[in-house]
């Protein structure tokens, strides 16, 4: 039951109360499966209680342990607030959202996410996030559920849009087309394909809008193979830092999000350079 | 999640007390429960819930069931406990069969109505015919019982041509005035 220490005897009355609410007092019994789901709802809310992890809060110098019901109500309120905040961030972003033609990106952000906000049930099914979030976003906790899964996902999409929004749309589409000729139908993270392209241009000291020539990939390959993994990662981080400073006012949050891809990118660059297939990893 | 046994550990004393309190209501119909009877009902409730994989909170369905069936012409002091046990089993079974798409009240009203009329007090018929037909309709999407509170529903699904008043009088006339 998370970090909060409540006995089954303390949780049962909350479950009974929730069952009564769920059935609108029209049924005295529910199936085992329903009771388990509702108990899951109780523990999820308690786990989100914003008090101290041992259930105690300090007020006026005196320590007070919250009852299970108090912890439940506190956690439920927190979940409501988190959901509302995520919806507000989504609403702010969606007006200017661009999928750059990628169907999966568009479907998830424009169709699936609104479905979450419409149907999410923080009272009886807070663990169910309903949607599948097919658009891949790095760094998401696999075990997260409910609003814990969706809120960071929305944040990531917002950051990606912030990043790509300051780049010309036709440049982005050119990079995506260079990555895969049928990029509209593919499932991949659009933002990081664009980021990788920019970082490689940064490594080569070349402007991103300049046309690529075959020698560019040869130079990139030599550059990558002349460094060990750690050095390559350090250089990529430096290029990213310069990009963030110059184009994004040093936005730390955006920088941290984009940096999630760097370890994988460094490994893929190295591998691609060894096998002479750099165009598959980065578009110049 | 802790093992499922904990869901059935509700204070049985509370349940027994609640059942015995119903005697105040049922005594006018010549029905009452002893301490032993109430204990047996509570135990059977636990067994039935376990078998049907359901969990119940509060006073449970028995008090409402007693209120619904105590004026039945087919329930006597001799068969009172046995009838309640059987009705309870049937109730939880059909809450599952109907996928909880029926409230307790609607199901009790339906059961009582059929028990008194079509079934003539026959539990087998109630369980195997009336409720079976009705549950099939509900699983197929029927929701008319919400408007009627579970009353007057069976005629829509009954597969047996039964006597109606005109037919009865006609046959009676034929037999008596031959």
């Amino acid at each position: 039951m998370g970090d909060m220490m409540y006995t089954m005897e303390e949780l049962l009355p909350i479950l009974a109360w929730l069952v009564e609410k769920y059935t609108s007092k029209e049924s005295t019994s529910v199936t085992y499966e329903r009771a388990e789901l509702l108990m899951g709802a109780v523990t999820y809310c308690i786990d989100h209680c914003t008090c101290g992890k041992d259930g105690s809060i300090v007020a006026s110098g005196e320590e007070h342990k919250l009852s299970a019901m108090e912890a439940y109500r506190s956690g439920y309120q927190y979940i409501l607030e988190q959901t509302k905040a995520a919806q507000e961030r989504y609403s702010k972003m969606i007006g200017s959202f661009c999928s750059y033609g990628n169907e999966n990106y568009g479907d998830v952000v424009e169709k699936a996410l609104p479905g979450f906000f419409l149907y999410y049930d923080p009272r009886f099914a807070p663990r169910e996030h309903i949607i599948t979030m097919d658009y891949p976003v790095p760094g998401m906790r696999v075990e997260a559920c409910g609003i814990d899964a969706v809120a960071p996902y929305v944040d990531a999409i917002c950051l990606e849009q912030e990043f790509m929004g300051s780049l010309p749309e036709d440049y982005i589409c050119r990079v995506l087309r260079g990555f895969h000729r049928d990029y509209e139908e593919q499932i991949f993270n659009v933002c990081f394909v664009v980021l990788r392209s920019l970082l490689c241009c940064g490594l080569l000291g070349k402007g991103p809008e300049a046309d690529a020539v075959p020698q560019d990939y040869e130079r990139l390959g030599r550059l990558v193979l002349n460094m060990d993994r750690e050095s390559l990662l350090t250089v990529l981080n430096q290029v990213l830092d310069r990009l963030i400073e110059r184009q994004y006012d040093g936005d730390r949050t955006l920088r941290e999000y984009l940096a999630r891809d760097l370890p994988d990118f460094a490994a893929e660059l190295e591998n691609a350079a060894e096998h002479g297939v750099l165009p598959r990893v980065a578009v110049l | 999640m802790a093992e499922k046994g904990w869901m059935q550990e509700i204070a049985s004393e509370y349940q027994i007390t609640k059942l015995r309190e119903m005697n105040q209501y049922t005594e006018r119909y010549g029905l009452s429960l002893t301490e032993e009877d109430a204990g047996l009902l509570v135990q059977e409730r636990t067994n039935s819930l376990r078998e049907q994989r359901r969990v119940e909170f509060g006073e449970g369905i028995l008090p409402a069931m007693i209120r619904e069936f105590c004026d039945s012409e087919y329930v006597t002091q001799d068969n009172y406990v046995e009838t309640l046990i059987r009705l309870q089993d049937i109730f939880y079974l059909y809450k599952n069969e109907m996928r909880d798409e029926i409230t307790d009240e609607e199901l009790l009203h339906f059961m009582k109505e059929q028990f008194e009329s079509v079934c003539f007090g026959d539990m087998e018929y109630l369980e195997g015919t009336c409720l079976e037909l009705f549950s099939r309709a509900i699983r197929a999407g029927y929701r008319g019982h919400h408007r009627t509170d579970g009353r007057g529903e069976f005629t829509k699904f009954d597969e047996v041509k039964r006597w109606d008043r005109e037919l009865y009088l006609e046959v009676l006339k034929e037999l008596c005035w031959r």
Side-chain angles (χ1 to χ4, degrees):
Chain A
M1 308 279 177
D3 293 339
M4 304 297 287
M5 301 301 294
Y6 292 105
T7 62
M8 199 50 70
E9 285 70 29
E10 290 173 292
L11 295 176
L12 267 182
I14 308 175
L15 176 61
W17 172 83
L18 196 61
V19 165
E20 199 175 76
K21 245 182 138 45
Y22 179 78
T23 64
S24 307
K25 296 188 182 182
E26 290 178 339
S27 186
T28 57
S29 63
V30 292
T31 60
Y32 277 1
E33 289 73 24
R34 181 56 57 192
E36 279 194 25
L37 284 170
L38 292 175
M39 181 57 99
V42 170
T43 56
Y44 187 85
C45 288
I46 287 177
D47 284 348
H48 285 74
C49 172
T50 51
C51 56
K53 284 299 177 187
D54 63 350
S56 64
I57 56 171
V58 179
S60 307
E62 290 176 11
E63 206 166 278
H64 160 71
K65 185 174 190 284
L66 289 185
S67 68
M69 182 56 101
E70 286 171 328
Y72 168 80
R73 288 192 202 278
S74 168
Y76 174 68
Q77 202 51 47
Y78 178 79
I79 289 165
L80 284 182
E81 287 162 10
Q82 290 300 298
T83 306
K84 188 180 170 199
Q87 187 165 19
E88 282 169 2
R89 290 195 298 276
Y90 174 84
S91 298
K92 205 172 157 187
M93 175 271 296
I94 198 61
S96 58
F97 172 76
C98 186
S99 66
Y100 304 99
N102 184 266
E103 285 168 17
N104 179 52
Y105 199 15
D107 285 347
V108 169
V109 178
E110 292 173 314
K111 294 176 187 169
L113 279 173
F116 168 80
F117 291 115
L118 192 60
Y119 296 112
Y120 181 54
D121 184 355
R123 175 69 81 189
F124 300 121
R127 293 178 186 269
E128 303 299 320
H129 45 262
I130 307 161
I131 62 175
T132 51
M133 295 180 282
D134 292 329
Y135 176 74
V137 160
M140 295 291 112
R141 283 170 43 228
V142 173
E143 69 280 12
C145 60
I147 191 60
D148 288 344
V150 175
Y153 191 77
V154 168
D155 289 344
I157 303 288
C158 290
L159 287 169
E160 289 187 3
Q161 288 292 301
E162 184 190 325
F163 171 67
M164 291 189 288
S166 69
L167 300 167
E169 188 174 332
D170 56 351
Y171 162 73
I172 292 176
C173 291
R174 179 177 70 75
V175 168
L176 295 178
R177 182 76 61 205
F179 176 70
H180 197 295
R181 65 177 180 204
D182 298 317
Y183 80 87
E184 293 94 338
E185 295 156 25
Q186 303 304 311
I187 296 177
F188 61 90
N189 185 288
V190 166
C191 171
F192 286 102
V193 167
V194 175
L195 174 68
R196 288 180 175 193
S197 174
L198 285 175
L199 292 178
C200 285
C201 290
L203 282 176
L204 294 174
K206 124 185 208 321
E209 302 217 12
D211 290 333
V213 293
Q215 291 86 339
D216 287 337
Y217 282 107
E218 288 166 18
R219 277 201 303 135
L220 181 62
R222 283 195 298 274
L223 199 70
V224 168
L225 291 174
N226 278 341
M227 288 187 266
D228 61 22
R229 179 78 63 84
E230 208 177 306
S231 306
L232 177 58
L233 198 51
T234 302
V235 168
L236 286 172
N237 270 288
Q238 287 168 353
V239 174
L240 178 61
D241 284 336
R242 277 202 303 276
L243 176 65
I244 296 294
E245 284 302 320
R246 286 180 193 170
Q247 300 295 129
Y248 299 97
D249 293 326
D251 186 334
R252 299 308 303 168
T253 309
L254 178 61
R255 194 253 179 245
E256 272 171 29
Y257 176 69
L258 295 176
R260 288 183 194 179
D261 186 50
L262 296 189
D264 282 349
F265 185 38
E268 287 178 44
L269 267 178
E270 218 174 73
N271 199 38
E274 281 171 17
H275 294 92
V277 292
L278 278 168
R280 289 191 198 173
V281 171
V283 176
L284 293 177
Chain B
M1 186 78 185
E3 38 185 84
K4 295 180 177 59
W6 64 262
M7 292 183 181
Q8 283 135 25
E9 284 173 19
I10 311 284
S12 59
E13 287 87 6
Y14 171 75
Q15 304 288 320
I16 290 170
T17 303
K18 279 289 168 192
L19 289 178
R20 296 214 65 209
E21 281 172 9
M22 294 308 296
N23 285 343
Q24 294 169 30
Y25 184 79
T26 61
E27 270 163 358
R28 74 191 80 170
Y29 302 104
L31 303 172
S32 65
L33 295 170
T34 63
E35 184 85 13
E36 198 183 329
D37 291 336
L40 177 62
L41 280 168
V42 168
Q43 182 55 50
E44 289 296 325
R45 168 189 169 272
T46 302
N47 295 341
S48 189
L49 283 168
R50 187 184 299 121
E51 192 179 319
Q52 296 301 330
R53 296 174 54 81
R54 294 185 73 84
V55 61
E56 194 171 60
F57 295 94
E59 64 178 26
I61 197 59
L62 275 172
M65 187 171 280
I66 288 170
R67 272 191 291 274
E68 187 76 26
F69 281 87
C70 64
D71 64 350
S72 166
E73 63 179 290
Y74 300 103
V75 178
T76 64
Q77 183 62 39
D78 287 340
N79 67 18
Y80 186 31
V81 175
E82 176 194 331
T83 300
L84 284 176
I85 290 172
R86 189 71 197 277
L87 283 171
Q88 184 175 243
D89 284 345
I90 291 170
F91 179 85
Y92 292 133
L93 168 66
Y94 276 96
K95 282 289 280 191
N96 281 345
E97 290 292 310
M98 295 180 192
R99 297 175 188 163
D100 286 298
E101 293 290 350
I102 189 166
T103 68
D104 286 354
E105 208 172 83
E106 287 162 355
L107 181 53
L108 283 176
H109 289 158
F110 181 87
M111 286 171 66
K112 171 70 184 307
E113 195 177 70
Q114 304 321 308
F115 186 68
E116 292 303 294
S117 57
V118 169
C119 302
F120 296 100
D122 185 335
M123 292 284 195
E124 294 292 336
Y125 201 81
L126 177 67
E127 180 179 352
T129 302
C130 303
L131 281 165
E132 175 57 37
L133 287 169
F134 190 45
S135 70
R136 215 184 292 164
I138 288 180
R139 286 197 300 273
Y142 178 75
R143 297 290 181 265
H145 55 288
H146 291 325
R147 286 192 302 274
T148 63
D149 217 21
R151 300 183 207 277
E153 290 291 327
F154 186 60
T155 49
K156 295 170 198 162
F157 309 105
D158 195 359
E159 293 174 343
V160 174
K161 183 159 172 58
R162 301 189 190 273
W163 291 96
D164 66 24
R165 193 169 185 278
E166 265 74 49
L167 179 62
Y168 173 69
L169 288 174
E170 199 181 309
V171 172
L172 192 64
K173 197 174 172 184
E174 261 181 55
L175 289 172
C176 295
W177 279 277
R178 243 186 256 167

